[in-house]
Amino acid sequence: MSTTVPHTRSPAHAPEPTAADACGPDVLADLQRQIGRQWLVWYGHHTRHWWAMPRPPYPWFGLVEGRTPADLPARVREVQAYYGPSRGMR
């Protein structure tokens, strides 16, 4: 297995988060549904970014960062495209 990791950070030209990007239970629940339960999703109040990490036994271990709620699933899809779909979760 390669140790090369796909680029998972947001581009520098991405817009700054706005009040519409604020964390809330509905936003988190929607992100979790979009990404799937193979990934753990949260909002970093200090960083003001959205985060996800795959649960074992996913073949990659790391953090994925998104500047907005819409950005996070795109970053997760990049990892999934590189490592393949999640396995082991029903």
Side-chain angles (χ1 to χ4, degrees):
M1 178 182 338
S2 172
T3 58
T4 305
V5 178
H7 186 266
T8 58
R9 294 192 54 102
S10 301
H13 63 277
E16 286 296 318
T18 65
D21 299 323
C23 177
D26 294 338
V27 176
L28 280 171
D30 186 48
L31 275 173
Q32 192 68 66
R33 274 192 300 276
Q34 288 178 45
I35 293 172
R37 61 186 190 137
Q38 179 65 35
W39 290 77
L40 177 62
V41 176
W42 70 94
Y43 178 76
H45 291 280
H46 180 72
T47 62
R48 294 185 180 173
H49 288 195
W50 298 85
W51 298 87
M53 64 182 264
R55 298 175 196 255
Y58 200 79
W60 176 76
F61 184 76
L63 296 174
V64 178
E65 177 183 14
R67 293 181 74 153
T68 66
D71 191 38
L72 187 63
R75 304 290 77 80
V76 168
R77 284 191 300 273
E78 289 175 8
V79 172
Q80 290 174 331
Y82 190 82
Y83 287 99
S86 5
R87 292 172 178 66
M89 296 294 282
R90 295 178 210 196

